[in-house]
Amino acid sequence: MMYSLTMENTMSFRSQADRFMTAIQTRRRNPVKAGTMAVYQSHLNSSILPALGEKPLSDIENGTLKAFVAELSSRGLSASTINGMISLIKQVVASAVDTNGNQLCPRTWNSDFMDLPVVNPRSQKAPV
């Protein structure tokens, strides 16, 4: 599997994000569409990697994301955008697996603790 690592070989969030992006494009089961890839890459380049890229993957936890959510909120980003970025971060962390497919950094994510904004479909700018 292309995006696995061992416990002895800790890596940065940036390294795992690169592996994740390559894997989701080339996988046979549900490959990601080009539009989704563009959104993911944009989120990574604009906000996620500058803030979290050099942190060890094992350090990306609820507290880290709580501070990141606060930063994104202070920049005036929409609830939907913030939730999308957090979802991507969670996918990158979950993608680090051992040779048996077991997650190396299993997490129980806590949206309330992170103070993740609630997406209200009525307030979204979604033209018909």
Side-chain angles (χ1 to χ4, degrees):
M1 195 166 275
M2 190 163 195
Y3 51 98
S4 65
L5 69 132
T6 62
M7 288 302 227
E8 305 85 51
N9 181 18
T10 58
M11 68 170 53
S12 68
F13 180 85
R14 181 182 308 276
S15 298
Q16 187 59 29
D18 290 343
R19 285 187 166 100
F20 171 76
M21 293 295 283
T22 300
I24 63 174
Q25 290 179 77
T26 58
R27 65 186 179 199
R28 286 181 281 175
R29 181 182 174 141
N30 299 324
V32 174
K33 294 180 181 178
T36 303
M37 284 299 297
V39 170
Y40 283 3
Q41 196 62 59
S42 173
H43 286 332
L44 286 167
N45 293 341
S46 67
S47 299
I48 298 171
L49 292 178
L52 306 175
E54 303 313 313
K55 287 189 176 292
L57 191 64
S58 59
D59 288 355
I60 307 296
E61 297 184 313
N62 286 297
T64 307
L65 294 189
K66 180 178 181 138
F68 186 60
V69 167
E71 177 192 328
L72 296 175
S73 294
S74 72
R75 289 175 28 197
L77 296 177
S78 72
S80 180
T81 300
I82 293 170
N83 276 278
M85 287 189 195
I86 297 302
S87 175
L88 177 56
I89 293 168
K90 291 175 184 180
Q91 290 178 66
V92 170
V93 172
S95 71
V97 296
D98 64 16
T99 56
N100 290 318
N102 300 311
Q103 288 185 9
L104 294 176
C105 301
R107 298 282 184 268
T108 301
W109 298 108
N110 186 336
S111 297
D112 290 332
F113 177 80
M114 284 186 256
D115 202 19
L116 205 57
V118 176
V119 177
N120 181 353
R122 291 184 182 179
S123 68
Q124 287 185 309
K125 298 173 187 171
V128 176

